[in-house]
Amino acid sequence: MSLVVRDLRVVFDTPKGPVWAVDGVDLEVAPGAVLGLVGESGSGKSVTLRAIARLLHANATVSGEVLWEDEDVLAMPPDRLRRLRGAEIGIVFQEPMAALNPVLTIGLQIDESLEAHTELDTKGRRARALELLDLVGIAAGGARLGQYPHEFSGGMRQRAMIAIALASSPKLLLADDPTTALDVTIQDQILRLLLRLKAELGMGLVLVTHDLGVVAQTCERVAVMYAGRVCEAGPVASVFASPRHAYTQALLRAMPGEGARAGAKLVPIPGQAPRLDRPAQGCAFQPRCTVSESACETRRPSMETDGDRRFACYAEARL
Amino acid sequence: MNKGTWLLGRLAQIVPSFVFIGIVVFVLARLLPGDPVSAVLGDHATDATVARITAQLGLDRSIPVQLLHFLGGVVQGEFGTSIAYRIPVSRLILERLPATLILTGLSMAIALALAVPLAFIAALKANRWPDLLIRGVFQVGLSTPIFYVGLLLLTVLAAWAHLFPVGGYGEGWGEHLWHLFLPALTLALSFAAVLMRSLRGAVLDVINAEFVDFARAKGLRARLVLGRHVLRNALIATVSLVGLQVGSLLGGAVITESVFAVPGVGRLMVESIFARDYPVIQALTLVLAVFVSLALLATDIVQMWLDPRVGK
Ligand SMILES: Nc1ncnc2c1ncn2[C@@H]1O[C@H](COP(=O)(O)OP(=O)(O)OP(=O)(O)O)[C@@H](O)[C@H]1O
Ligand SMILES: [Mg+2]
């Protein structure tokens, strides 16, 4: 395994009290593998990615274990951490408009990453920057390098951000919804690009997305998150074909895309998103679950392993 | 619209503002109590002399003609003759201006050198002891009158410790800087306090921005993240404040120059007011107003340079 996350927990200290945003997440990514991370809004996907790269702020308390090639990321000294970020693990943020610095040219924002992690000289870095823009499908790269983020369209910004994240050829890319701002064709291009890089460079990929169709197309394994926890994980095909957590099943029925059974009617998940400031005693999904039993309310189901499948659901057998 | 045309537009704006300032100065001079003729002649002149001087000063002509005459003179750098010094006002001001420019420039440099690093420290340690200490000290600086701070520095550093001269201006650049250091420091303290507060707030706003996290995610050195990504965005909010502060800086120079006996235009202003030297007061008001507008222009240019979105 290149990335192993064990029992990752993130508590935010807010003026209104603690928020348990990530509550015991386990993940594994093999070298060059693609892991899909899905779950509804607020389930803790972005916070998980940021915790892995240690990007959370002082109001977050992170515990658990993040191992990168057997090295403890949470204990890395600043120098080592700097090399890890960018050079070994690249991150694509969810909102490209906010992630790009509005007062620096795209060229500089690519260049500084190359300067930090490669031995290239000015000319070499410029050539590499052009190559990167070309790679993510930004034409006329030379002129584009001198432009500022506000001169880019939404899709362009997203691609520029991906180019920056890929600048120094990381071994693992944490991509937080990298295709949201893009139309379907471009979305497809970007996903193809990521898959090609994975194949060519052996780059691993953690792909956060709301689109189960994308997961079905691109990922080998998937982890489903609910209320800061992974409720089910396993190979995409078998998880989508026979979910073993009530939430996964509800998600598949609620979301369009190739993940859902073809021809089936979409069924929205009833109720409201769980409150993270007051963790449930039992299963967090229980209040919205249509197949729950009495145990679900009082005791948290523990994670069970069956071959390459993992799930934490009492109703698993009845799904 | 590109930056060139934006700048041209901004420059075009400044011309009518200068004309407006000229008119205001002209009107103000006419609203001042006492009249220039008796200021020149004293109270016991004959009617014939009064008439002669009135004609000499051009005061017998109609107000619009006087205004045009005044504005015409201003354009040619002609402000009349000082009543107290009996030399051309323009020469007098040119003699006194360098001291004030060095003083305000130096104090601005000191203020920036103090405020920028301290604002960063305060923001990075927000609400912990370094922040509280820095803010506390500046709060005291901000609420103490300039002349008092000046006297204090003068007593301690000049009179007791003999580290600096007690006053004056000296000969040559080195001496000028040495003589003007204490007055500049005095002037800088309140400016630095305002600057520090604004910049600290701006840094706090920027430091949690996504693009700062993204810069960290790229594995950049902390120094680069702060010095490039944070500082540049934080400065945009603060730069306009610097421009606005030039006015009060010049106002502070009037007091500081008096306390430290610096032969600048600030002290000249005070002297001229006491001497009712109207031509000098008029010209100085105009010159200072022009400086403030130029400072605002400079601010806009710096802002344009810092923020690519300006002028779009
Ligand atoms: N800095 C923070 N302070 C307090 N709470 C936070 C902070 N950042 C995130 N949270 C909370 O943590 C929870 C998980 O957020 P996260 O952004 O990881 O969700 P997500 O799964 O990425 O959602 P989406 O699909 O909408 O991107 C949310 O309830 C959010 O409000
Ligand atoms: Mg998110």
Side-chain angles (χ1 to χ4, degrees):
Chain A
M1 288 299 145
S2 59
L3 179 74
V4 177
V5 176
R6 275 198 211 113
D7 197 28
L8 183 70
R9 288 165 196 272
V10 178
V11 187
F12 287 108
D13 185 17
T14 74
K16 289 187 194 150
V19 170
W20 286 267
V22 175
D23 195 19
V25 160
D26 295 281
L27 296 173
E28 285 185 353
V29 186
V34 185
L35 171 71
L37 198 55
V38 299
E40 68 187 354
S41 202
S43 55
K45 306 179 295 291
S46 300
V47 174
T48 301
L49 294 195
R50 278 168 200 248
I52 291 172
R54 280 183 55 189
L55 288 169
L56 294 168
H57 296 181
N59 68 335
T61 310
V62 181
S63 62
E65 228 179 353
V66 176
L67 297 178
W68 169 248
E69 296 178 340
D70 299 324
E71 220 180 324
D72 185 356
V73 175
L74 297 186
M76 275 183 187
D79 265 15
R80 174 70 189 96
L81 188 60
R82 231 179 333 103
R83 268 185 296 121
L84 175 85
R85 291 174 181 160
E88 293 167 43
I89 298 184
I91 276 214
V92 173
F93 277 22
Q94 196 165 4
E95 284 172 43
M97 188 58 208
L100 295 172
N101 191 324
V103 303
L104 302 177
T105 62
I106 296 294
L108 178 63
Q109 297 190 56
I110 299 177
D111 186 76
E112 61 184 5
S113 180
L114 294 171
E115 196 175 12
H117 300 295
T118 66
E119 303 288 307
L120 297 171
D121 61 1
T122 317
K123 247 174 88 188
R125 294 202 301 271
R126 191 182 154 81
R128 171 79 179 132
L130 287 172
E131 194 185 302
L132 283 162
L133 288 188
D134 188 51
L135 198 66
V136 295
I138 295 180
R144 289 292 184 178
L145 284 181
Q147 290 185 330
Y148 292 91
H150 71 268
E151 295 170 281
F152 276 47
S153 69
M156 287 285 191
R157 276 180 218 134
Q158 192 137 38
R159 287 191 265 178
M161 181 169 57
I162 294 172
I164 293 171
L166 293 174
S168 27
S169 320
K171 292 189 222 165
L172 175 69
L173 188 69
L174 307 176
D176 197 348
D177 235 348
T179 55
T180 31
L182 305 176
D183 61 56
V184 184
T185 0
I186 313 286
Q187 190 175 335
D188 204 51
Q189 267 177 38
I190 291 291
L191 290 173
R192 253 182 248 273
L193 164 74
L194 293 178
L195 291 181
R196 204 179 78 219
L197 290 170
K198 165 197 119 81
E200 284 172 10
L201 310 171
M203 181 181 80
L205 181 62
V206 177
L207 184 66
V208 170
T209 176
H210 288 101
D211 190 336
L212 298 184
V214 165
V215 174
Q217 272 172 31
T218 54
C219 301
E220 290 136 24
R221 301 181 64 86
V222 62
V224 182
M225 285 189 71
Y226 190 82
R229 231 174 273 221
V230 174
C231 57
E232 170 160 17
V236 173
S238 66
V239 170
F240 282 8
S242 57
R244 297 179 80 169
H245 192 289
Y247 175 65
T248 315
Q249 188 183 53
L251 196 63
L252 286 166
R253 287 183 181 161
M255 286 190 180
E258 285 164 51
R261 265 156 233 169
K265 207 164 86 212
L266 295 182
V267 187
I269 302 178
Q272 287 172 357
R275 293 188 57 160
L276 301 173
D277 53 346
R278 268 193 245 141
Q281 210 182 13
C283 171
F285 186 57
Q286 180 274 329
R288 303 166 72 184
C289 185
T290 51
V291 293
S292 68
E293 47 198 69
S294 59
C296 302
E297 212 170 325
T298 48
R299 231 163 18 91
R300 204 170 263 185
S302 56
M303 189 61 94
E304 283 173 51
T305 307
D306 179 7
D308 50 9
R309 303 279 302 264
R310 286 191 299 133
F311 45 88
C313 185
Y314 292 132
E316 170 260 325
R318 292 185 284 112
L319 291 176
Chain B
M1 191 160 88
N2 69 21
K3 295 196 164 176
T5 42
W6 177 83
L7 194 60
L8 278 179
R10 187 65 184 73
L11 279 171
Q13 262 175 22
I14 217 165
V15 175
S17 83
F18 282 177
V19 173
F20 181 71
I21 292 168
I23 294 173
V24 168
V25 167
F26 175 83
V27 171
L28 273 182
R30 260 114 207 111
L31 291 177
L32 282 176
D35 76 295
V37 179
S38 56
V40 174
L41 296 174
D43 292 334
H44 305 291
T46 62
D47 286 353
T49 335
V50 169
R52 188 169 54 79
I53 295 297
T54 307
Q56 201 182 326
L57 293 178
L59 297 176
D60 54 342
R61 283 175 276 181
S62 71
I63 293 286
V65 172
Q66 285 186 43
L67 175 62
L68 282 180
H69 188 73
F70 170 70
L71 292 179
V74 166
V75 170
Q76 294 161 29
E78 184 55 58
F79 297 99
T81 309
S82 159
I83 295 170
Y85 289 87
R86 307 206 178 274
I87 58 171
V89 172
S90 46
R91 214 180 90 205
L92 187 61
I93 292 181
L94 279 181
E95 268 171 26
R96 301 291 199 96
L97 205 51
T100 303
L101 290 184
I102 298 173
L103 174 66
T104 44
L106 189 59
S107 76
M108 211 170 235
I110 295 174
L112 284 170
L114 282 175
V116 173
L118 289 178
F120 263 90
I121 295 172
L124 294 179
K125 305 273 178 202
N127 298 321
R128 278 175 285 165
W129 71 263
D131 179 37
L132 299 177
L133 182 71
I134 291 168
R135 280 199 290 162
V137 169
F138 274 117
Q139 190 59 48
V140 172
L142 200 56
S143 46
T144 317
I146 289 186
F147 71 89
Y148 184 76
V149 175
L151 286 177
L152 200 71
L153 289 175
L154 203 59
T155 314
V156 176
L157 295 179
W160 286 356
H162 298 293
L163 291 174
F164 293 97
V166 194
Y169 185 45
E171 292 291 328
W173 274 95
E175 279 201 35
H176 289 343
L177 288 179
W178 187 49
H179 278 81
L180 291 179
F181 184 78
L182 273 195
L185 182 63
T186 307
L187 200 50
L189 287 182
S190 62
F191 182 38
V194 176
L195 209 59
M196 202 286 295
R197 279 172 64 115
S198 151
L199 195 56
R200 174 185 174 274
V203 169
L204 279 179
D205 283 345
V206 175
I207 202 119
N208 289 323
E210 284 272 292
F211 62 78
V212 176
D213 282 342
F214 192 55
R216 291 199 292 140
K218 287 192 235 176
L220 303 184
R221 288 176 185 282
R223 220 172 341 112
L224 195 62
V225 174
L226 289 179
R228 185 181 279 166
H229 291 265
V230 177
L231 179 63
R232 196 153 168 157
N233 282 278
L235 276 182
I236 289 171
T238 307
V239 162
S240 51
L241 188 78
V242 175
L244 290 174
Q245 282 289 311
V246 167
S248 34
L249 208 58
L250 287 171
V254 172
I255 302 169
T256 325
E257 287 178 9
S258 301
V259 172
F260 288 90
V262 176
V265 290
R267 209 168 61 135
L268 181 62
M269 184 70 132
V270 176
E271 290 166 4
S272 306
I273 289 171
F274 283 130
R276 294 199 177 176
D277 198 341
Y278 293 125
V280 178
I281 299 174
Q282 196 165 289
L284 271 183
T285 313
L286 193 61
V287 167
L288 294 184
V290 166
F291 267 107
V292 171
S293 354
L294 287 179
L296 289 177
L297 176 67
T299 305
D300 283 356
I301 291 172
V302 171
Q303 200 147 27
M304 180 183 76
W305 172 70
L306 284 175
D307 189 350
R309 291 160 300 184
V310 169
K312 292 282 149 130

